[in-house]
Amino acid sequence: MSADTATNGLVFEARGITKVYHMGEVEVHALRGVDLTLGAREFVVFLGPSGSGKSTLLNILGGLDTPTSGHVLYHGRDLTEADEGELTLYRRRHVGFVFQFYNLIPSLTARENVALVTEIVEDPMPPEEALRLVGLGARLDHFPAQLSGGEQQRVAIARAIAKRPAVLLCDEPTGALDISTGIVVLEAIARANQELGTCTAVITHNAAIAAMADRVIRLSDGHVASVEANATKRSPGELQW
Amino acid sequence: MVRVAPLDRKLLRDLVEMKGQALAIASVVAAGVAMFVTYHSNFDSLRRTQGAYYERYRFADVFASLKRAPQRLEERIADIPGVAQVDLRVVADVTLDVEGYDEPATGRLISVPAEGRPRLNEVFLRQGRWIEPGRPDEVVVSEAFANAHHLVPGGRLAALINGRRRELQVVGLGLSPEYVYIIPPGELIPDDRRFGILYMERRALGAAFDMEGGFNDVSLSLVPGASAEEAIARLDRVLQPYGGRGAVPRRLQISHWTLDNELAQLQSFGILVPAIFLGVAAFLLNVAMTRALAIQRPQIAALKALGYSNREIGWHYVKWSLVIAFAGALVGIGGGAWLGRGMIAIYNGFFRFPILLYRLSASVAVNASLVALAAGAVGALLAVRRAVRIPPAEAMRPEPPARYRTSFVESRGLRLTHATRMVLRNVERQPARALATVVGISFAVGILLFGFVFLDAMELLAEVQFSLVQRQDVTVSFVEPASSRALHEVASLPGVMAVEPVRTVAVRLRHGHRHRTLALSGMPARPQLSRIVDLEGRAVSLPPEGLMMSRILGQVLGVTPGDEVVVEVLEGARPVRAVKVVGLVDDYMGVAAWMEIGALHRMLREAQTLSGAQMMVDPRALDALYRRLKALPRVAGVAVTQAARDAFRRIMAQNFEIITIFNVSFAVIIAFGVVYNSARISLSERSRELASLRVLGFTIAEISLILLGELALLTLLSVVPGLLVGWGLSLFVLRSFSSEVYRIPLVVTSANVAWSILTVVAAATVSGLAVRRKLDRLDLVAVLKTRE
Ligand SMILES: Nc1ncnc2c1ncn2[C@@H]1O[C@H](COP(=O)(O)OP(=O)(O)OP(=O)(O)O)[C@@H](O)[C@H]1O
Ligand SMILES: [Mg+2]
């Protein structure tokens, strides 16, 4: 797939997004006017130094946060005009999240953590199937504390894809993992992107991961510094760390 | 298999995880619910029983006594508007002689028809049979008195009726709505041995007391909606020429008044006590939930990201506390049913109903659960709202590290150890939680102090009554006011070392539109035996002229010293006089009025008449004296101070020990719950810190000091507020207990204070140590690995 895929089915269209945090007297400009588009079935990687605003941007796309100014259109609907209840529904129906620290519910087993999502959406995958997709078919009834970091992250991915989301947003999904586990996790994400056609955005510090994306968007100090389309997309197994 | 939603599974597992705390909080809830159920179910049971009894046994609405009136007055009484039924009776108090009982007892003879049943104040026959017509010696005896003397149908007892000793035959044991609470005339505490009710055939009683064709007692029932006040005013007018002593409404009838008073107390305790416990429980839940939600912050963020709404997440967490509250409520309802049954057993010793069964109605149980759930919801809601409101993107970021400051104490320039510094900073960083802990422990101290103060108050009341006020050994009252010769007769009875005359007269005191009917007592100016004693324990002497009255009566009539009141005498020639009130006495007893006996005689324009006498008796001669008194025709009643004191002791021993056990256990539950909860939260917050210290080489003893030091500090801080709570609680309860019959003194002794503090400190120490044991098992590696 190439960059011009974006034009034949826009999922997100962000225009002039800013985000300012007020910390007492100090104003922190996390985003200073970001414009971007994400297409259906597209796989985008965000790169950028720490503090450049990647998480802030992803949270805004996912309806976890609202920008200070600017607009985010999701399939033409303006998320910045949605209220709390509409954002909740948007997250529930369309978005799958994967966090850097997994954020599993420690008192629920892998299967139950996935079921947490499949309970509340229409037409989900069975939790068991989602877990098989990420290679954890044999660990259904294990609690997070009984799983390794990589396995926990894969449960988080299963939890995100089980609802067959339209978008999958991953904030440093491999941040806490070693190379080989990281690859397994990335394979799970890539598979969701290919097999379910999910529009996928992944934040990472690891430039090598960029090679598996359709496009790489670099942020710096709250701006989009550059956008590159990958001519050849690598599979996770071929990545050079 | 039952399908349980994943969130509910999470709920259950989270609860199991915090089971210690959940248990501690649930027990406080349980204690509150148990008290709620105990009080309200007893209220219910008593109220129901009272209502049914009054209705089926036709308890009268108005009561009057008079000297003597002819039977034909019945028509005029029945014509009073609003009157439904009239019952005319002969009632007389006599001295009884029961085999095996040395002291003379007092019996109240009440006439009943031999054929048919009383129109009002019907008698429930527990055992035996009704009296037969034409058998003047047959009596039905009140059950309590019969039981106290092991009298059964077929038994006998002797009565001194109008100067003649008569052998009476017990044919039945009975009860009446008029005497649910039976108290000897002029006394404070029931004593079933010394006072009994005897139902006797009308004609027999009429003949004995010159009441053939006459009566000296009236009961009325009123049609629904009729005004008792109006009926009383008219009845008084009808009875006035016949020596009417002023009718009283049911409200002031002694048995009914006592029962109603008890019901009112049950009701107010049923609100106050559960409110304290459930308030503390709500506080605890709030603190525990706040902490649990802080730990679960990342989970809340995840749930939000997954598309759960604030409402769903909030409800999930509110359910936590509802489950705890509901579990507490279930245990509390069970416990309350058990305690309630016990309390009914106590009431069965005080109140005489044909049957007083314990009944825990569904509505009491449901209300108790609702109240507990409401407390749980309130406790959780504030914590949950705060946590759920955090925007998801922010909740995703780990909570900022706690902000500590140098503590207030340090800023005073004091040099402290590291441990002390950590303790102080932690307390100051969490003022809300520290406050909750202090409030909780304060209530534990307060409840205990109140319990002890209450017991002491009863003791003091008895002490004042039996050592300062009633210094006489024996009191006799005469059938009719007697001349001064009677005093000499009494003085010459065996063993009598001193006597003092008493002249009591039924009067109605009026001041403006307020009035009160009572017995006015004439006594020597400086009585040595039966005295008037004020709250400071000083004997009050009576001035040569004018009226003295208790402050309570002063309030009832709205008079201050110097005011004049109208004294309507309700006996003899029934003079009406204006008398100046010369002083109000702050005493422990309720409504009372006194005059110097000479002044009273002058007011009544009578010679040196007396209606009874107080005596001091050589204890060795008591038996001889009793034997004589039982045969003295003049004597209507004999009161023995020692017997009353013993009755009081019996009641105290039976009931108040149970109350103390309750108080102590409940206070301990609160103290334990509060301290344990607080300690567990500290431990959860600081286990990383404490584990790090262990890794750095601190001993368990040293880190325990940091954890427990905080609790010790908070416990100490609770002492003074706790004593204030106890004091306030005591003041409130004793005020509500005080009535027109007596006032309860509030005295806080240092022993009470010490016991309250020590008990709570002990409970706090035990729960602190229970948490301390967890420090031994602190898993250093695991704690350092977990991310908060
Ligand atoms: N809730 C907040 N309050 C104040 N400042 C915030 C908040 N969230 C983010 N920021 C600030 O906004 C800026 C962008 O933060 P963001 O988390 O988006 O960075 P990032 O690119 O994801 O960094 P990293 O790679 O370290 O995760 C940072 O300077 C951060 O300190
Ligand atoms: Mg980030």
Side-chain angles (χ1 to χ4, degrees), chain A residues 12 33 38 42 47-48 72 77 94 98-99 103-104 119 137 152 164-165 172 174 176 178 195 207 212 219 235:
Chain A
F12 284 110
L38 295 186
E42 197 180 10
L47 288 177
V72 181
R77 270 166 294 157
H94 306 283
V98 178
F99 311 105
N103 286 39
L104 297 179
E119 281 282 306
Q152 289 183 50
R164 308 181 203 275
E172 299 188 40
T174 58
D178 65 54
E195 293 179 10
M212 60 184 278
L219 292 188
S235 74

Side-chain angles (χ1 to χ4, degrees), chain A residues 49-56 59 100 171-172 203 205, chain B residues 397:
Chain A
S50 179
S52 57
K54 305 180 297 291
S55 295
T56 306
N59 288 344
Q100 180 178 4
D171 194 346
E172 299 188 40
I203 292 178
H205 279 288
Chain B
R397 300 159 56 88

Side-chain angles (χ1 to χ4, degrees), chain B residues 284-349:
Chain B
L284 292 183
L285 272 171
N286 183 270
V287 171
M289 289 301 289
T290 303
R291 174 58 194 158
L293 288 164
I295 295 176
Q296 297 221 341
R297 192 178 152 112
Q299 299 184 39
I300 297 175
L303 289 173
K304 286 191 169 188
L306 296 177
Y308 279 89
S309 66
N310 284 356
R311 176 125 45 89
E312 286 163 319
I313 300 171
W315 172 232
H316 165 68
Y317 286 108
V318 168
K319 266 199 278 185
W320 274 35
S321 63
L322 292 186
V323 168
I324 294 174
F326 192 67
L330 284 186
V331 174
I333 290 172
W338 183 74
L339 291 177
R341 204 171 280 283
M343 194 164 175
I344 278 288
I346 294 180
Y347 278 133
N348 265 317

Side-chain angles (χ1 to χ4, degrees), chain B residues 583-625:
Chain B
L584 297 182
V585 182
D586 259 315
D587 70 347
Y588 289 120
M589 296 298 122
V591 169
W594 311 272
M595 279 177 92
E596 197 276 318
I597 192 165
L600 183 60
H601 287 146
R602 283 193 293 283
M603 186 189 86
L604 295 170
R605 310 243 158 91
E606 67 182 13
Q608 291 183 9
T609 312
L610 60 155
S611 49
Q614 321 281 1
M615 23 182 167
M616 199 161 95
V617 182
D618 178 354
R620 285 163 302 179
L622 269 176
D623 285 345
L625 176 69

Side-chain angles (χ1 to χ4, degrees), chain B residues 448 452 664 667-668 671 754-764:
Chain B
L448 270 179
F452 292 136
V664 171
V668 166
W755 276 115
S756 313
I757 296 172
L758 285 178
T759 311
V760 169
V761 167

Side-chain angles (χ1 to χ4, degrees), chain B residues 403-423:
Chain B
R403 254 179 280 166
Y404 284 92
R405 286 180 304 148
T406 45
S407 68
F408 174 76
V409 180
E410 287 170 87
S411 65
R412 304 284 98 176
L414 283 171
R415 285 173 53 89
L416 303 167
T417 65
H418 283 289
T420 320
R421 222 175 288 158
M422 289 171 83
V423 165

